[in-house]
């Protein structure tokens, strides 16, 4: 089970109106979605995820939330990448949202299911696609990308300084089809420093590339002024410094243009208490903004 990260802080910054329409751009197993829905009366939440398996689990987890009034669905599930959320708004007949939440990255469920290929801890096929119905897999990248491009990808997306040595070892070991094989060959190529597995950053880089996570985030951030109405709130949770920087700069640019007001002057981090009970929350960073009416001073 994925424990929703910084749930109270997300709800506080979203300042939910019971009659509002909200979008959870990354529904996952539905932790945040359910908590938002529970605060709604006549409003509803559009719950998106590009991972069909996660969405099916969320639907099962959240069945209870909609049991109270079967005539009115407070949660509307949409299987799509968040770069295309405009389509789900259209399908629901919603011109603009009262709030939007994006809890980026992968869930515990995705990470711990070996067969999804995200984890270097449990062996499985080298897949890493959040949406298993499309796109290239991590195996396609490690087996077919030229060595130079592979090294650049590992360096840029994984911030891995030993990227050239890793890329060389990968190319020599081809073909590679499992996470276990990839993790082992990287461990043999570069020495372990500290507690972190030497393949951690390479796995992260591959995951970001496979799911085009940078491109997805750029499209979502650029669409915010058209998706969310004046007075509406946007909350973004990130788990990687690169991603947090992108969000921070996008929010600052929106404030400069008079489109939004930054609500989190400094990035908000989980409490020690939360980290104590949910270790994966330790790297979370929360940023929030409120959309402004461009025509008002
Ligand atoms: C950290 S988890 C969200 C967990 C969720 N808040 C919960 O409480 O269960 C991130 C989720 O976002 C989804 N995701 C990541 N990038 C996405 C994208 N570009 N479009 C749609 N969903 C995405 C992943 O499939 C994953 O289920």
């Amino acid at each position: 089970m994925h424990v929703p990260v910084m749930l109270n802080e997300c709800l506080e910054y979203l300042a939910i109106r019971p009659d509002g329409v909200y979008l959870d751009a990354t529904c996952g197993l539905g932790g945040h979605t359910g908590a938002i829905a529970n605060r709604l009366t006549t409003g509803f939440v559009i719950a998106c995820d590009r991972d069909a398996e996660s969405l099916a689990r969320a639907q099962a987890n959240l069945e209870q939330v909609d049991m109270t009034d079967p005539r009115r669905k407070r949660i509307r599930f949409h299987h799509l990448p968040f770069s295309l959320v405009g389509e789900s708004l259209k399908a629901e007949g919603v011109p603009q949202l009262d709030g939007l939440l994006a809890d980026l990255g992968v869930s515990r469920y995705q990470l711990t299911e070996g067969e999804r290929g995200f984890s270097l801890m449990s062996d499985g096929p080298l897949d890493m696609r959040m949406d298993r119905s499309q796109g290239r897999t991590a195996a396609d990248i490690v087996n077919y990308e030229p060595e130079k491009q592979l090294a650049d990808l590992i360096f840029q997306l994984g911030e891995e300084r030993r990227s050239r040595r890793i890329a060389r070892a990968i190319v020599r070991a081809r073909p590679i089809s499992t996470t276990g094989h990839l993790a082992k060959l990287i461990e043999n190529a570069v020495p372990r420093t500290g507690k972190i597995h030497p393949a951690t950053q390479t796995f992260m880089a591959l995951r970001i590339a496979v799911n085009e996570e940078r491109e997805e985030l750029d499209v979502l951030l650029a669409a915010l002024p058209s998706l969310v109405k004046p007075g509406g709130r946007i909350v973004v949770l990130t788990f990687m410094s690169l991603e947090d920087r992108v969000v921070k700069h996008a929010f600052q640019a929106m404030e400069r243009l008079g489109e939004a007001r930054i609500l989190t002057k400094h990035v908000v981090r989980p409490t020690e208490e939360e980290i104590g009970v949910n270790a994966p929350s330790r790297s979370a960073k929360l940023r929030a903004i409120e959309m402004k009416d461009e025509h008002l001073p």
Side-chain angles (χ1 to χ4, degrees), residues 2 4 25-32 49-51 54 80-82 103-107 110 130 216:
H2 181 95
T26 52
C27 173
L29 299 197
H32 291 94
D49 204 293
R50 70 192 310 185
D51 183 336
S54 295
L80 81 188
F82 55 59
D103 172 16
L104 300 174
V106 279
S107 67
Q110 289 165 322
M130 292 179 193
E216 279 287 313

Side-chain angles (χ1 to χ4, degrees), residues 56-122:
R57 279 166 189 258
Q59 235 158 329
N61 289 344
L62 297 173
E63 238 176 1
Q64 298 293 332
V65 177
D66 267 337
M67 294 277 265
T68 43
D69 183 358
R71 288 163 305 173
R72 217 179 40 73
K73 284 257 163 253
R74 279 189 295 178
I75 308 175
R76 324 273 171 95
F77 293 97
H78 288 253
H79 176 222
L80 81 188
F82 55 59
S83 56
L84 299 178
V85 286
E87 287 182 15
S88 57
L89 265 67
K90 243 185 249 159
E92 296 292 346
V94 174
Q96 277 189 312
L97 300 158
D98 293 278
L100 182 154
L101 171 72
D103 172 16
L104 300 174
V106 279
S107 67
R108 274 300 86 200
Y109 155 68
Q110 289 165 322
L111 273 177
T112 49
E113 287 285 299
E115 52 133 357
R116 301 298 305 267
F118 287 106
S119 171
L120 47 75
M121 294 309 166
S122 42

